[in-house]
Amino acid sequence: NAGVTQTPKFQVLKTGQSMTLQCAQDMNHEYMSWYRQDPGMGLRLIHYSVGAGITDQGEVPNGYNVSRSTTEDFPLRLLSAAPSQTSVYFCASKGGSSVDTQYFGPGTRLTVL
Amino acid sequence: GQQVMQIPQYQHVQEGEDFTTYCNSSTTLSNIQWYKQRPGGHPVFLIQLVKSGEVKKQKRLTFQFGEAKKNSSLHITATQTTDVGTYFCAGRRGFGNEKLTFGTGTRLTIIP
């Protein structure tokens, strides 16, 4: 199993550009989520999904879109990048039980100029 | 909204000393999880606590969940250089509520 994979590892964007961060898992997990990590602020939940076709907002959803067309993939779209979106983005997945372990991907380091 | 605070933000200890980080939630939690993140890495799940007053041990690590299920602690005995990293707690408000709220983390540095 590859676990949770994320691409790209690094990305530099100009203000106003759009892009999609990719996330995939091969563990047949129902639950997937996106977090951003900023210095001194821990991880903040952006969007999450409890299954294919179902998504919901987290703590900081503005400026981001998600979709979940398959169990395996959960892409995160930045519609019009802003410098405030400079951060490290982590995707995570876990099984359907509340006691299941949550697995994180390696992260994408995004810089918006 | 729910807030989870962690103290201290930073901790520098001599190798062999003990280390403790504390986690406090503004609301009652259904369960709490602990993660470790090495510098430049991603968070790695350590443990989950569910029951009021629960205590769990993993070798030199001891995890506690408060009686009121609003606070938790992680204690490391006799730290080693491999313990370096940031430790996060993350709380869930209710069963069936999949949203995890992470604490701000405690960065542990070991002085050899």
Side-chain angles (χ1 to χ4, degrees), chain A residues 31 35 37 40-43 45 48 50 56-59 90 94 96 98-102 104-107, chain B residues 9 31 33 35 37 40-45 48 50 88 92 95-105:
Chain A
Y31 180 73
Y35 294 87
Q37 185 173 34
M41 299 188 73
L43 291 100
L45 183 65
Y48 67 100
V50 297
D56 205 348
Q57 295 181 349
E59 183 184 353
F90 289 103
K94 77 173 195 69
S98 63
V99 298
D100 286 339
T101 298
Q102 180 160 239
F104 280 82
Chain B
Q9 189 174 1
N31 56 52
Q33 300 178 353
Y35 293 79
Q37 185 177 23
H42 59 276
V44 175
F45 176 86
Q48 177 169 265
V50 179
F88 292 97
R92 183 175 281 121
F95 291 106
N97 180 347
E98 296 295 345
K99 290 184 183 180
L100 266 182
T101 300
F102 276 78
T104 46

Side-chain angles (χ1 to χ4, degrees), chain B residues 1 9 13-14 19 21 24 26 48 56-58 72 76 80 89 93 100 111:
Chain B
Q9 189 174 1
V13 302
Q14 202 83 28
F19 159 77
T21 174
N24 292 287
S26 58
Q48 177 169 265
K56 287 188 176 181
K57 292 190 175 183
Q58 289 180 350
S72 181
I76 301 178
Q80 299 175 359
C89 63
R93 276 179 96 167
L100 266 182
I111 306 166

Side-chain angles (χ1 to χ4, degrees), chain B residues 48-97:
Chain B
Q48 177 169 265
L49 305 172
V50 179
K51 299 177 183 176
S52 170
E54 189 170 13
V55 178
K56 287 188 176 181
K57 292 190 175 183
Q58 289 180 350
K59 296 182 180 178
R60 294 178 294 104
L61 278 62
T62 302
F63 304 84
Q64 290 188 321
F65 200 10
E67 294 289 340
K69 300 184 78 172
K70 295 180 74 172
N71 55 68
S72 181
S73 65
L74 159 59
H75 179 81
I76 301 178
T77 304
T79 55
Q80 299 175 359
T81 55
T82 54
D83 295 325
V84 165
T86 301
Y87 293 84
F88 292 97
C89 63
R92 183 175 281 121
R93 276 179 96 167
F95 291 106
N97 180 347

Side-chain angles (χ1 to χ4, degrees), chain A residues 4-6 22-24 32-35 74 89-93 103-107:
Chain A
V4 181
T5 57
Q6 290 183 239
Q22 302 292 344
C23 174
M32 296 185 73
S33 54
W34 276 102
Y35 294 87
F74 191 43
Y89 291 85
F90 289 103
C91 178
S93 77
Y103 296 91
F104 280 82

